[in-house]
Amino acid sequence: MYYKNGVYITPNVVVKGDDASVTYKGILSDSGAHSVYMHVGYGDNWENTKDIKMQKTEEGFEANLPISDDKPLKLAFKDCADNWDNNGGRNYTFEIQSRL
């Protein structure tokens, strides 16, 4: 969905109660960031926010994320110098499916 920006989430269909894997190789990674944090929230008001330190890998930066809500998942990324990648103010948003 945001491949052009270097943001990947698997599985393609994210379900509440499951874990998702997020890979980031966007502008912060391209600019030489040594560490990247994923800022996570749910819904239009960024509910239940938390920051998760991502691990640097050959693919970029990666982190596992337990999906704890069925509201849309919002992501933004920041480095240790407080530079942000928030998709030009639009954030990275992923729909969450409920379990059947």
Side-chain angles (χ1 to χ4, degrees):
M1 179 176 220
Y2 297 104
Y3 302 131
K4 196 168 73 171
N5 298 55
V7 177
Y8 305 84
I9 191 166
T10 54
N12 289 331
V13 177
V14 182
V15 178
K16 180 183 175 185
D18 286 352
D19 286 345
S21 176
V22 178
T23 301
Y24 176 78
K25 34 185 171 174
I27 192 167
L28 300 176
S29 181
D30 291 344
S31 298
H34 297 293
S35 60
V36 170
Y37 295 82
M38 177 172 54
H39 186 67
V40 179
Y42 293 91
D44 292 334
N45 296 320
W46 284 85
E47 299 166 24
N48 302 317
T49 59
K50 60 184 167 183
D51 291 331
I52 298 172
K53 185 173 184 179
M54 303 184 83
Q55 298 298 313
K56 189 168 186 160
T57 69
E58 291 180 6
E59 298 298 318
F61 291 88
E62 297 180 350
N64 286 326
L65 175 63
I67 305 301
S68 60
D69 204 319
D70 56 3
K71 293 178 184 164
L73 172 67
K74 302 276 189 178
L75 301 178
F77 302 89
K78 66 179 179 173
D79 65 15
C80 57
D82 212 28
N83 297 305
W84 285 82
D85 178 359
N86 63 1
N87 192 22
R90 295 180 303 272
N91 303 306
Y92 297 97
T93 304
F94 300 90
E95 293 299 317
I96 304 298
Q97 302 295 314
S98 295
R99 248 190 229 295
L100 299 178

